Amino acid sequence: MCVYNLQMLISTRKYLQKLHNPGFSGDETVSGGTDLIITIPCYNEPDIQETIQSLFACDQPACDVEVLVLVNAYEHTPNHILSVNESSYAGLKDFAKKYNTHHFKIIPLYTDCLSGKQTGAGIPRKILMDEALRRLVSIDNESGIIVSLDADCTVDSNYLTEIYKAFHDNDKLCAATIAFHHPVTHLSENDPLRIAAESYEMYLHYYRLALEYCGYPYPYYTIGSAMAFRASVYTRAGGMGKQSAGEDFYFLQKVFPLGEIKHIDTTKVYPAARFSDRVPFGTGPALQKMVSENQLFKKTYSLESFLALKLFFSRMLDTYESDISEIADILTSLPVYLQEFLKEDHFLEHLGEIRSNVSSFSFFKKRFFHYFNAFKIVKYLNFVHPEKISLREVRGEAEKLAECITSQQI
């Protein structure tokens, strides 16, 4: 066994030893050919079978596939939701009994007593992914693939084969994000939900492309229904968090620096464009707020604020061998609002600490973006908007960004 695989094995075993939640699926035998496990948290989802049927209709990859569905509720969940959950669980068990094969298996799991007052997907998503990890480890497959999907999604017929192919063809691939689209053609063109959903999806694309354009090294989507990663990477990142919302964002920020990441655009996930109150933020709450406040065209961070970041990143990466006094002078050439943020964040002190602990430019760059990470970028953007720069309609900012990208490519 090579050193890397041994370290991977030790890391995975240590992670499993620290888990406090018991296994859910011990009575379900794991096929030795299992290399792909889909995880789906299910709460108040009467239409969960549409998701399962979509997966069942997929082309079969060159491995065995499991789909773990955790029908879940918390201690204070209302009775009418518990009733929906019980019906969903019964339907899933019937589906599994009728259609499970040796190569493709639905495994319904159930809990109605998750502790705390949370209602988000963080805890059930973590339980599912820990369970997927246990099952892959039980067949000595730490490089197996864990996929995250939601119970309001359907997928393309090549969804399973394209995910498997991406990881099978590149043994260095740590994780992948997957293309997505919120289907709205069933809604009239003037339907407020359709307008809001299209605007929100444009915002998601704009934000990712803006990160890429300004030079941030991890400009990836962070959507819980459209991500996949190796089991060993899951443990190296410390596993899924228990946040009531944004657990996908927090987890992926730990994954992205670990190695090679790919965006799979040859297949697609279709999350439902719908209202949701299970989590405090995300697509569902955003759509609900946009419609209720009659702000169907989403406001977003200005392109100007990202252009300032682009200038900042470029100049800082050019100063690896410069004196701190020279860097201080360079900072004065940045927009005033960015200077104010950096001063408040004690940037020069952090930069000095980074420079004193690296021996090469590659390490400097890695440490710099470990400090000025996605959380710091969001903090900066919220510092700037709307007090110093007003929020702008996303369509206009997206068009300006497209012009910048196009002119750069010419």
Side-chain angles (χ1 to χ4, degrees):
M1 180 179 291
C2 71
V3 173
Y4 171 75
N5 286 338
L6 178 60
Q7 291 175 336
M8 181 174 72
L9 183 65
I10 292 171
S11 173
T12 302
R13 294 301 193 275
K14 283 184 176 179
Y15 177 85
L16 287 173
Q17 289 172 2
K18 292 178 181 178
L19 294 182
H20 298 296
N21 55 303
F24 271 74
S25 60
D27 57 341
E28 290 283 352
T29 303
V30 188
S31 161
T34 302
D35 206 19
L36 198 61
I37 299 184
I38 318 298
T39 61
I40 307 175
C42 176
Y43 171 90
N44 194 23
E45 296 285 358
D47 299 322
I48 176 63
Q49 291 222 17
E50 291 184 15
T51 302
I52 299 305
Q53 288 169 355
S54 176
L55 288 168
F56 188 78
C58 284
D59 302 328
Q60 179 73 30
C63 69
D64 293 343
V65 179
E66 292 188 349
V67 181
L68 303 182
V69 185
L70 178 59
V71 181
N72 65 90
Y74 288 80
E75 294 172 345
H76 305 286
T77 299
N79 287 332
H80 71 277
I81 293 179
L82 292 177
S83 178
V84 172
N85 281 358
E86 289 168 3
S87 178
S88 296
Y89 182 58
L92 288 167
K93 288 197 296 182
D94 287 343
F95 189 96
K97 186 176 181 180
K98 291 178 181 177
Y99 299 110
N100 275 4
T101 68
H102 180 75
H103 299 296
F104 188 93
K105 186 184 298 184
I106 306 292
I107 303 177
L109 309 171
Y110 184 86
T111 179
D112 60 3
C113 57
L114 296 177
S115 61
K117 297 181 179 180
Q118 291 178 291
T119 58
I123 292 177
R125 208 183 289 280
K126 174 176 173 57
I127 290 172
L128 280 165
M129 292 180 180
D130 289 348
E131 193 69 23
L133 176 68
R134 284 191 183 97
R135 296 181 70 79
L136 289 168
V137 168
S138 73
I139 56 172
D140 297 322
N141 187 11
E142 282 83 358
S143 63
I145 308 154
I146 300 174
V147 183
S148 181
L149 189 65
D150 283 341
D152 66 340
C153 298
T154 57
V155 298
D156 279 335
S157 61
N158 65 344
Y159 173 76
L160 298 176
T161 52
E162 289 301 296
I163 294 174
Y164 177 75
K165 182 177 184 294
F167 285 89
H168 184 265
D169 289 354
N170 183 359
D171 58 9
K172 294 182 179 180
L173 185 63
C174 287
T177 59
I178 303 159
F180 61 91
H181 174 61
H182 298 85
V184 294
T185 53
H186 62 289
L187 302 171
S188 69
E189 292 184 0
N190 296 324
D191 189 307
L193 177 57
R194 176 170 180 165
I195 297 170
E198 290 175 338
S199 181
Y200 187 77
E201 186 166 308
M202 181 178 290
Y203 156 73
L204 294 175
H205 296 315
Y206 163 74
Y207 188 81
R208 191 204 71 77
L209 285 171
L211 287 180
E212 182 176 11
Y213 184 69
C214 73
Y216 184 63
Y218 312 117
Y220 304 109
Y221 296 107
T222 55
I223 298 175
S225 58
M227 60 184 185
F229 36 85
R230 295 193 188 278
S232 57
V233 172
Y234 178 73
T235 60
R236 286 172 62 199
M240 181 59 63
K242 298 180 180 181
Q243 294 88 353
S244 60
E247 75 287 342
D248 43 7
F249 175 81
Y250 289 102
F251 172 70
L252 287 173
Q253 299 315 313
K254 297 184 292 182
V255 169
F256 292 151
L258 296 180
E260 194 169 329
I261 311 296
K262 176 183 176 68
H263 180 63
I264 301 173
D265 59 6
T266 51
T267 191
K268 198 165 286 184
V269 176
Y270 299 94
R274 65 177 188 173
F275 303 134
S276 172
D277 59 2
R278 185 180 190 186
V279 294
F281 56 87
T283 303
L287 296 181
Q288 194 160 1
K289 182 178 180 181
M290 290 167 70
V291 172
S292 64
E293 297 181 1
N294 198 29
Q295 295 182 354
L296 304 184
F297 298 98
K298 183 170 176 60
K299 296 290 186 72
T300 189
Y301 303 120
S302 63
L303 179 60
E304 178 185 344
S305 62
F306 285 104
L307 295 179
L309 274 185
K310 181 177 176 65
L311 179 64
F312 169 58
F313 291 158
S314 173
R315 292 189 175 175
M316 287 306 100
L317 294 179
D318 285 341
T319 62
Y320 171 60
E321 296 181 348
S322 302
D323 294 330
I324 288 292
S325 59
E326 294 179 277
I327 296 172
D329 290 338
I330 293 172
L331 293 179
T332 62
S333 65
L334 299 174
V336 173
Y337 53 80
L338 179 51
Q339 292 183 50
E340 292 174 355
F341 175 78
L342 295 173
K343 182 177 180 180
E344 188 172 295
D345 201 60
H346 305 287
F347 169 71
L348 285 177
E349 295 176 25
H350 290 291
L351 184 65
E353 189 275 333
I354 292 170
R355 287 159 57 89
S356 64
N357 287 281
V358 296
S359 57
S360 68
F361 174 75
S362 61
F363 282 111
F364 169 71
K365 182 178 180 180
K366 186 172 183 179
R367 286 287 297 271
F368 177 84
F369 284 111
H370 179 75
Y371 155 67
F372 215 101
N373 54 23
F375 301 99
K376 189 76 69 180
I377 291 174
V378 171
K379 185 178 179 181
Y380 153 72
L381 293 170
N382 288 331
F383 175 86
V384 172
H385 302 89
E387 296 298 324
K388 304 176 189 305
I389 305 177
S390 62
L391 294 166
R392 311 282 170 77
E393 281 196 4
V394 65
R395 182 173 295 277
E397 298 306 283
E399 289 174 353
K400 288 189 287 186
L401 175 60
E403 289 177 8
C404 289
I405 294 172
T406 302
S407 62
Q408 189 179 59
Q409 293 174 344
I410 294 176

